[in-house]
Amino acid sequence: ERGLEHNAQGVVCSLFDEVVKNLVMMRNGGDEQDTEYSENVAKILVDSFDASSLSSLFGYLPSIKSFLDGIAVKRTSFVESNLMHWQLVFLLTRFINALLRANRPIMLILDDLQWSDELTIELVLGDILEAVFDGKGGCNFLFAGVYRDDNMSNEHPLSAKLSNLRQSQSVHVTDIDLSSFTKRDVSEIIANELRLPSRVVSELGDIVHKKTSGHIFYAVELLNALVRDSTMYFSSKTRRFQWCWEKICSLKTSDSVAQFMVSTFSTLEPEVLQMLRLLSCFGLHTDVDVLDILDASCVAPFDGIRTPVQNLSDLGFIEVAGGLVTFTHDLIQQHVYESIELEQRRTFHIEIGLFLGWKVSTSRTSSDASSLEGAVGKMYISESKSQGSVITERSLLSIATDHINHAGPEFVEQSERKSFAVWNL
């Protein structure tokens, strides 16, 4: 507990020490107004703190020494235990109020608050900010907290603190929801930048949206990269921008986009998430025909696999081409698979393995065919032929065996272990 408290205090002190470093840079930057402002802040700080308090502030914010260079202060020892916490709150609150007295608005931004621990949130959003606003010093102060709500539950300490702040009489809270851009949004941005009609860039907008999951930062980053490597270029002949469609379609999803997509899993519909988990059990890719066979199994979404697969493709998690369903990035597959609880993961593997094995057994006893196709119907035969591949009993049995081996033979019923032993031969 004490270790966590010290860590939270270290994070907050580091934040405000950066503010002091900025003041030092302003003083030495050569801008007359910035120099005047920083010198004014230094005078106010000296007037606001006695020697003992200023000495203690040195311990929390080391850059204060260089900012107040030439001012002699008396060193004092740190206060321990609970008094140290309230000493820090008192000193930082007075420090912020001193900055605000210099008549220049202050904006403080904290990103990724969803990863903050409870003590840090309580220290920043609770004790320090509430003390600043309660002291009537918050009129020139704007705090911007950035967080991903899809990474938070109602029990998250930030959720509770935000709820309290919204009910506060002294703090005005404004929520700004920054959702991902739609395909139409991305297409309109591209059309405006390239000075082309929306109908011309519609397909380009779709693929950029898919490759970036609608995140505008990654969309701009991707478009800039396309221009840099001349995949997108201005043609003097046509007097407009053109692009190599084949190169753009073959682009792989970047690590940054994959990590962003991983953070959005909790927003997926249950059946879409179930389909994503099912796919992850096969590794990076699996055969479309195998998924069609599993459509009748208990591990498939209730309404079938077609719609969830299409949704995942539209969202950029997977690609469907050449008879294969492939994850757009190995990080996505890895995170999905590892997020499945061990028992559920074993259940997926067992159910997939036994169902596919049962299909092979059914095909072998079928009176109308001696191959798998006779068991699964004409739909699978026509699809696999049109895609240039036919699933054989041997390949399907190999897939079934791999899944059961992943779960562990001990999870196979005693009566079925003999059949499983034969499959492994």
Side-chain angles (χ1 to χ4, degrees), residues 234-252:
F234 185 81
S235 170
S236 58
K237 184 178 180 179
T238 60
R239 296 186 178 182
R240 50 157 282 190
F241 274 93
Q242 293 185 322
W243 47 88
C244 180
W245 184 248
E246 292 76 14
K247 285 186 178 181
I248 294 176
C249 289
S250 63
L251 288 173
K252 299 300 181 182

Side-chain angles (χ1 to χ4, degrees), residues 76-137:
T76 58
S77 59
F78 280 102
V79 183
E80 293 298 331
S81 190
N82 192 45
L83 289 178
M84 183 178 179
H85 171 87
W86 292 112
Q87 181 193 52
L88 178 61
V89 173
F90 169 78
L91 292 173
L92 291 183
T93 301
R94 179 165 286 192
F95 171 71
I96 296 173
N97 283 323
L99 292 178
L100 296 175
R101 283 172 55 194
N103 294 322
R104 182 178 285 195
I106 300 294
M107 181 175 183
L108 189 65
I109 303 175
L110 284 182
D111 196 5
D112 285 332
L113 283 174
Q114 74 277 4
W115 304 123
S116 300
D117 58 71
E118 184 173 2
L119 287 171
T120 302
I121 291 171
E122 186 61 38
L123 187 57
V124 176
L125 299 186
D127 301 326
I128 295 176
L129 291 189
E130 287 181 356
V132 171
F133 285 104
D134 286 343
K136 308 300 180 183

Side-chain angles (χ1 to χ4, degrees), residues 44-61:
I44 294 174
L45 282 174
V46 173
D47 292 340
S48 300
F49 291 88
D50 57 31
S52 176
S53 297
L54 197 56
S55 175
S56 297
L57 191 62
F58 280 6
Y60 293 113
L61 310 180

Side-chain angles (χ1 to χ4, degrees), residues 401-418:
T401 305
D402 285 344
H403 279 279
I404 294 178
N405 283 331
H406 267 93
E410 64 272 18
F411 292 94
V412 180
E413 294 292 337
Q414 190 68 35
S415 59
E416 297 172 328
R417 290 189 179 183
K418 183 176 180 181

